Amino acid sequence: MNARIREIVAEVIGVSQAEVGEDASPATLPSWDSLRHMNLIVALEDAFGVQFDDDALGRLGSVSAIAGELARARAAA
Amino acid sequence: MTPAPTPEPGVGLATVHLHVLRNATFEALAEHARCAGATLRLAPRTTFSSYDPWLDLLSPDGPSFAGQSALVLLALDALPEAWDGDRLDDAKALARVAALVEAALARGARDVLVATFAAPIDAGPGFCDAAALYRLNGEIARLAEEDARVELIDVARLIGRLGEERALDARFWAHFRAPFSQELHAAIAAEVCRAVARRAGDVRKVVVLDADNTLWGGVVGEDGPSGIALSENDPKGRPFHAFQRQLRALRGRGVLLALASKNEPADVAAALAHPESALRAEHFAASRVGWGDKAESLVQIAAELGVGLDSLVFVDDSAIECARVRAALPMVAVWQVPAQAHRLPREFARVPWFGARPPTEDDARRAADYAAERRRATEAAAFGDREAFLRSLEMVVRVWDPGAHDLARLAQLCQKTNQFNLTTTRHSAADLARALASDDALLVGVSSADRFGDQGTVGLALIERGTDACEIRTLLLSCRALGRSIEQALLAEAVRRARARWGARPVRGRHLPTAKNGQTRDFYGRAGFAPERDSPAERTFLLPADRDPPCPDLFKLERAPARSQSETRWS
């Protein structure tokens, strides 16, 4: 799953997949701004068929965090 | 959503700069505008004001909009000064909008697109100040109506179309101050691009219309003027009636109407004289009704009306005619009538090529002038190569020996086919069954398919052994398959089979003229038959025993002993 997440992050944030490590975040990738973050949410929800709840939206700040929230959202679904 | 037309090859994208004056997050518009623009040959570059656009604009060193389009798109939720409790102060909100419009124009914006408002996501339970909201939107619409540089983007209507649940996004509103869903962004971007394209000059002046299954339901040459569907009181006719009324209204706004139909002129005239037809012959500024190529007809119509081909919109129900025109005349805008008739008026309402501005007196007169000064244009040679086009269809024509299960469809063709029908003999299924059982008669069926789909069984020939020569009693081709040289293949193959069975004998063909079958008058002559007898009631032609009718090589010809099982669905 993490590989697929990195793929989506790279595409939406506009960087190469090599730049997206497990700890990649808005702090390490300057182009990960709030607008791209919105697109990222839409893309992740489309790709994995989930909807994040409100609290989760504030916790999607890195690839590993995204993986955790995706797992939680799938378990809840 | 209707699929977007493919951008025309060889025509570059025009860059337009769109600046959005906004008080909430609408950034998703940029990407949607890029997609929507590509189909209209536009490459929009979208920028956004700060969340306080009045500050941007009202400061003396604010941005210049020279040559740009400005979109005023605001969220009522984010306009706190417009609210007094749950009452909307529409005057205050309008003043805010008008200030942006004026400032953008003052700073050189080429045009300003101004959006209407919908009830905010955060409206209180059981209450939305509808009276004030409608007043506000009414005044915004008036801004657009009164100033030719201002165009309305009716966001409230788009939200109504999608429904609030789909159009508004409470979650993104809460998290990002982004009130609109992706879907609504896409719909707004499409409207904006259409408006910009029109204002950049992609306004079409002429709608060239096919007739059968476009202006009315059915085929007038087959069903007769009383059999076609165009009445408001007939469920099948209602969409066509509505479409005709839309066209009349367009004409009232100065758009010219023209006809390009493959038909007998008398049939089309009779249909337009139908008491319930909203369109009459005099509403058409130019007309080409006959059996000529449609791309050629369009070139002639443009020349006759004195407009460029890039002023034309071509409307036809046939995917093949549409593809033909797209290939031959890429500057013509092509719109295919939806297969489901009920979608026709609704989808036509969304075509991008006609402005919303009410007609001026000049516009209305222009349409009348053209009709009055109708003149014959010189033949233009700028149309594409018909043969190359037919080849590009990748047609497969199959000629086969009918069996008992084919007779119902073949008899139906005998009853219904009027236009390409040499003798118009109405054989019943029982007649055809007798022919099938006889050693002295030969029945041949033909079906066709191409890359757009199967036409199914489209024609037949019935030949008898005769005395001095084989006699072609019937040869017909459905109007769906005309203009593609299938009739030549049918004749060549029927003659070949007759001679295979009865030896190398002469073959006689006859033409019995009717009001409908004028196009078949010289069919045998063109196929190498020699004229024999000529009377008003019948013309006969004889093909010598040593001559074969030419068979076109525009398609793959399959000779099948019987119609294959997989074709059963065709009929």
Side-chain angles (χ1 to χ4, degrees):
Chain A
M1 184 163 74
N2 284 23
R4 179 83 184 108
I5 295 171
R6 276 204 296 277
E7 205 176 297
I8 293 169
V9 170
E11 190 188 326
V12 174
I13 304 302
V15 296
S16 72
Q17 284 190 44
E19 292 173 75
V20 185
E22 286 294 318
D23 57 348
S25 73
T28 66
L29 295 172
S31 61
W32 190 332
D33 58 19
S34 61
L35 297 171
R36 289 213 163 91
H37 193 68
M38 286 169 61
N39 294 341
L40 181 61
I41 292 167
V42 173
L44 289 168
E45 290 184 338
D46 276 359
F48 293 98
V50 297
Q51 182 162 26
F52 297 116
D53 62 36
D54 282 8
D55 292 341
L57 289 189
R59 292 197 296 253
L60 299 172
S62 71
V63 170
S64 49
I66 289 169
E69 292 301 334
L70 274 176
R72 209 190 312 268
R74 285 177 145 181
Chain B
M1 301 219 74
T2 48
T6 319
E8 289 153 1
V11 187
L13 297 183
T15 306
V16 290
H17 186 161
L18 183 70
H19 187 73
V20 185
L21 300 159
R22 53 74 186 263
N23 62 353
T25 307
F26 299 114
E27 264 79 353
L29 276 179
E31 182 63 16
H32 287 294
R34 219 178 45 77
C35 298
T39 66
L40 293 165
R41 288 179 260 152
L42 291 179
R45 198 166 69 78
T46 311
T47 55
F48 294 85
S49 73
S50 75
Y51 285 76
D52 195 343
W54 296 274
L55 271 186
D56 291 13
L57 278 172
L58 302 179
S59 72
D61 52 349
S64 153
F65 291 109
Q68 302 181 2
S69 297
L71 167 64
V72 177
L73 178 65
L74 302 173
L76 265 185
D77 301 72
L79 208 56
E81 61 273 35
W83 292 97
D84 176 13
D86 53 9
R87 289 276 165 195
L88 173 62
D89 185 341
D90 55 298
K92 211 172 250 178
L94 179 66
R96 304 294 267 158
V97 172
L100 289 181
V101 171
E102 266 172 47
L105 288 171
R107 286 168 186 277
R110 191 178 49 197
D111 35 54
V112 177
L113 315 173
V114 59
T116 54
F117 291 100
I121 293 182
D122 295 340
F127 183 78
C128 145
D129 196 348
L133 183 61
Y134 282 113
R135 269 199 308 273
L136 172 57
N137 284 341
E139 288 301 311
I140 290 173
R142 223 158 63 123
L143 279 182
E145 211 168 281
E146 286 174 356
D147 190 328
R149 297 168 298 175
V150 180
E151 183 122 12
L152 190 71
I153 303 295
D154 197 348
V155 170
R157 185 170 177 222
L158 296 177
I159 292 172
R161 184 188 290 170
L162 294 172
E164 285 189 12
E165 284 304 312
R166 273 167 67 192
L168 304 179
D169 188 335
R171 187 171 61 139
F172 271 33
W173 172 241
H175 284 270
F176 305 107
R177 279 174 86 77
F180 292 170
S181 70
Q182 293 297 315
E183 218 175 332
L184 180 57
H185 278 114
I188 294 171
E191 287 289 315
V192 166
C193 286
R194 286 171 197 179
V196 170
R198 280 197 302 266
R199 304 194 65 91
D202 191 5
V203 183
R204 303 281 166 156
K205 299 186 187 127
V206 185
V207 189
V208 185
L209 295 139
D210 172 48
D212 291 327
N213 287 314
T214 297
L215 290 178
W216 50 77
V219 177
V220 64
E222 304 295 338
D223 306 325
S226 57
I228 56 176
L230 52 66
S231 162
E232 209 176 358
N233 302 313
D234 162 15
K236 279 163 77 181
R238 207 166 285 141
F240 295 100
H241 191 83
F243 180 50
Q244 288 202 1
R245 293 175 68 102
Q246 289 178 326
L247 292 167
R248 261 192 88 147
L250 268 185
R251 183 175 178 273
R253 277 153 55 185
V255 173
L256 303 176
L257 306 181
L259 261 178
S261 164
K262 288 186 178 169
N263 251 316
E264 294 292 339
D267 287 334
V268 171
L272 292 174
H274 190 289
E276 302 198 61
S277 182
L279 289 172
R280 300 283 176 216
E282 67 263 27
H283 293 135
F284 293 92
S287 146
R288 287 291 178 282
V289 180
W291 301 97
D293 178 75
K294 288 213 183 179
E296 188 178 346
S297 295
L298 292 183
V299 170
Q300 292 175 4
I301 285 168
E304 179 175 331
L305 297 178
V307 300
L309 284 160
D310 58 0
S311 291
L312 303 189
V313 175
F314 173 63
V315 178
D316 200 306
D317 65 300
S318 153
I320 291 168
E321 297 290 3
C322 287
R324 159 80 181 131
V325 169
R326 275 197 197 99
L329 306 170
M331 64 298 278
V332 172
V334 176
W335 192 74
Q336 190 184 343
V337 172
Q340 295 287 310
H342 72 265
R343 305 180 68 102
L344 168 58
R346 237 176 115 78
E347 292 190 11
F348 187 68
R350 296 180 195 168
V351 302
W353 304 291
F354 307 104
R357 206 148 292 289
T360 64
E361 222 173 67
D362 276 353
D363 288 336
R365 215 171 27 230
R366 190 153 43 105
D369 285 352
Y370 274 108
E373 295 171 15
R374 190 178 300 195
R375 57 189 192 275
R376 286 290 145 215
T378 52
E379 295 258 329
F383 50 87
D385 178 352
R386 171 179 170 275
E387 229 185 88
F389 171 70
L390 287 177
R391 279 183 210 288
S392 77
L393 292 177
E394 295 161 21
M395 285 191 286
V396 177
V397 173
R398 177 188 295 252
V399 181
W400 37 271
D401 298 332
H405 55 285
D406 299 313
L407 297 182
R409 167 64 181 153
L410 295 177
Q412 185 193 30
L413 279 172
C414 292
Q415 302 309 313
K416 285 185 63 179
T417 306
N418 296 320
Q419 300 180 27
F420 200 99
N421 195 335
L422 272 300
T423 56
T424 322
T425 310
R426 305 300 191 190
H427 301 289
S428 66
D431 296 338
L432 296 178
R434 272 191 295 279
L436 205 58
S438 163
D439 286 338
D440 293 328
L442 175 69
L443 191 58
V444 180
V446 64
S447 36
S448 72
D450 59 44
R451 64 190 170 93
F452 294 101
D454 287 347
Q455 287 80 48
T457 300
V458 293
L460 67 111
L462 176 62
I463 305 191
E464 291 174 1
R465 185 208 287 259
T467 49
D468 59 322
C470 299
E471 302 271 356
I472 304 177
R473 290 294 172 197
T474 283
L475 193 144
L476 65 84
L477 193 69
S478 158
C479 58
R480 287 179 305 152
L482 293 182
R484 305 165 69 172
S485 306
I486 295 173
E487 63 279 7
Q488 295 174 27
L490 174 62
L491 174 65
E493 189 56 20
V495 167
R496 197 185 66 81
R497 287 176 187 225
R499 286 176 175 161
R501 188 187 287 188
W502 298 311
R505 314 179 60 207
V507 177
R508 181 171 294 116
R510 53 192 75 230
H511 173 249
L512 306 184
T514 68
K516 311 270 189 203
N517 72 354
Q519 64 169 302
T520 61
R521 190 179 155 78
D522 296 317
F523 173 65
Y524 287 124
R526 283 195 301 270
F529 288 56
E532 217 183 16
R533 287 188 303 278
D534 192 348
S535 77
E538 180 184 64
R539 280 150 46 95
T540 67
F541 299 83
L542 196 70
L543 182 72
D546 58 350
R547 286 201 62 177
D548 296 322
C551 187
D553 63 347
L554 298 166
F555 39 72
K556 185 169 164 221
L557 179 64
E558 290 185 357
R559 300 179 173 125
R563 198 169 58 130
S564 74
Q565 282 307 308
S566 68
E567 285 180 67
T568 321
R569 65 194 163 85
W570 285 14
S571 51

